[in-house]
Amino acid sequence: MRVEGNRSLRPADALLTAVAAVGWAFVAMTGTAALALHLLEADAVGSLGPMTAAAVVLAVNGRVVPAGDVGVFGLEGGRAAASVDITPLGVALVGALVLAAVFLRSLRGRAG
């Protein structure tokens, strides 16, 4: 039974909200990465989909090992075999802000 003045958050609601927040954060990160790559005209060099996926993976502290022609990155010889170790901080920041906004919005008014 729920008291009218105290709106408690059930664990199932918190779990669904967390999953939705992570989903929206990844959507925002993907959109930000795709837009940034398009504005940098990187889509003229390669396919936008794999580059966007790589940017999102790097933003969440993943690892991307380039394959094929990596001369676009300015890597040649032995350095080309190494992994690309760049962190797109703008993409990570957008993801963190959306995650916080969506999750905290669900908690508004529930503190008792």
Side-chain angles (χ1 to χ4, degrees), residues 4 7 13 16 21 33-35 37 39 44 47 50-52 54 56 61 63 70-71 73 105 110:
E4 193 66 34
R7 295 176 12 189
D13 290 341
L16 287 175
L35 179 63
L37 289 168
L39 290 175
S47 180
M51 287 191 293
T52 301
V56 172
N61 204 21
R63 183 173 178 213
V70 290
F73 296 112
R105 182 170 175 84
R110 298 207 186 244

Side-chain angles (χ1 to χ4, degrees), residues 61-109:
N61 204 21
R63 183 173 178 213
V64 175
V65 179
D69 182 22
V70 290
V72 175
F73 296 112
L75 301 174
E76 297 175 4
R79 291 177 44 201
S83 65
V84 177
D85 195 20
I86 303 168
T87 303
L89 295 176
V91 176
L93 178 65
V94 167
L97 291 175
V98 170
L99 180 73
V102 172
F103 190 72
L104 291 177
R105 182 170 175 84
S106 70
L107 299 178
R108 186 181 302 156

